[in-house]
Amino acid sequence: MMSDGAEVVVVGRKSSPELDALKPAKIITGCDVTDADAVMKMATELEKPVDIVINNAGYFMEAKEQVDSLNFEEQLKQINICGLGPLRVSSALYNAKKLAPNAKIIFITSQAGSVEWRKTQNCNEGGDYGHHMSRAACNMAAVLLSEELKQKGFPVLLLHPGFNRTEMTAKLKEVWDKEGAVDPSEGAKRVLHEVGQLTMAKSGSYINSEDGLEIPF
């Protein structure tokens, strides 16, 4: 986005040497998406409204969950971050009047939130309950938000960014090559392509950034 001339504001719990080196317009730290007060403080302190909101926070617990090893605390943590986090941020920006006219709201979700695809990808094995439930919750929040904000002129898009080689997917690194996991920079370009295509007519859509096709809920 910066290479295209965008003024980018990055919000998160902390920065990193890699992020600092990119020199975005502003880096806001100390903002955890599970902390409603911190999120609202961030929104009210933004200097001006934003044109594009990309909700990208995520969490995937390390251990694989099966019915005999469920971790309910971790499940709730995943739902809090992945499901409620984007909603906290988006609502805070809306209520603080920090969304520019026709601002685009993006929820980076996952194909893992598709109930229909679980019958194929998790056929006869299930597993990773918290991960899948958190992404399904994220999808529900995004669709409801798209309906509520439709008359306000704010389109909302749900994007599966593809399989990226990140710290969050490192638990699956043994299948990175087999499943075609890509560098995060490539995944980001796919996401930004879909963001550029977003119109009100597409609001509430659940899109696979790998091929531009809709994912069944």
Side-chain angles (χ1 to χ4, degrees):
M1 296 179 76
M2 291 172 58
S3 62
D4 290 333
E7 183 179 347
V8 177
V9 176
V10 182
V11 177
R13 292 174 298 163
K14 59 183 180 180
S15 187
S16 68
E18 294 82 3
L19 177 57
D20 292 338
L22 293 175
K23 297 181 179 179
K26 191 170 186 178
I27 300 174
I28 300 175
T29 59
C31 185
D32 189 316
V33 298
T34 66
D35 184 337
D37 291 337
V39 171
M40 181 54 74
K41 181 174 183 292
M42 172 277 297
T44 56
E45 291 181 355
L46 277 178
E47 297 173 359
K48 54 187 175 182
V50 295
D51 299 297
I52 300 173
V53 180
I54 300 180
N55 290 292
N56 194 44
Y59 173 65
F60 193 174
M61 68 174 284
E62 183 66 26
K64 182 175 176 62
E65 279 192 295
Q66 300 290 170
V67 71
D68 60 355
S69 59
L70 296 176
N71 188 323
F72 298 113
E73 184 175 341
E74 283 289 300
Q75 288 176 16
L76 289 171
K77 180 178 179 179
Q78 289 173 96
I79 292 170
N80 197 9
I81 294 171
C82 304
L84 293 174
L87 190 57
R88 286 192 187 94
V89 171
S90 301
S91 65
L93 292 171
Y94 175 82
N95 290 315
K97 302 188 185 314
K98 291 300 172 63
L99 294 177
N102 307 121
K104 299 177 179 181
I105 301 176
I106 314 301
F107 278 46
I108 300 300
T109 179
S110 169
Q111 56 78 22
S114 169
V115 175
E116 183 62 32
W117 279 11
R118 302 288 59 78
K119 299 174 184 177
T120 301
Q121 296 184 358
N122 294 74
C123 183
N124 297 322
E125 63 178 48
D128 286 331
Y129 289 82
H131 175 56
H132 295 295
M133 290 189 297
S134 72
R135 292 307 184 177
C138 175
N139 293 349
M140 181 62 78
V143 172
L144 290 171
L145 190 65
S146 74
E147 291 297 321
E148 184 170 357
L149 297 185
K150 187 180 296 183
Q151 300 305 317
K152 306 290 185 181
F154 301 124
V156 180
L157 185 64
L158 300 76
L159 287 179
H160 167 57
F163 194 14
N164 292 270
R165 298 174 184 244
T166 65
E167 290 182 13
M168 195 170 75
T169 66
K171 63 181 287 184
L172 303 173
K173 65 171 55 178
E174 69 275 5
V175 298
W176 274 354
D177 292 333
K178 178 182 177 181
E179 299 293 336
V182 300
D183 185 82
S185 62
E186 183 174 341
K189 290 176 183 177
R190 293 172 174 176
V191 164
L192 293 177
H193 173 76
E194 297 301 333
V195 172
Q197 302 298 308
L198 177 58
T199 63
M200 284 304 304
K202 292 184 177 180
S203 187
S205 297
Y206 182 18
I207 303 296
N208 185 349
S209 297
E210 294 175 317
D211 55 22
L213 300 178
E214 289 200 48
I215 299 174
F217 286 97

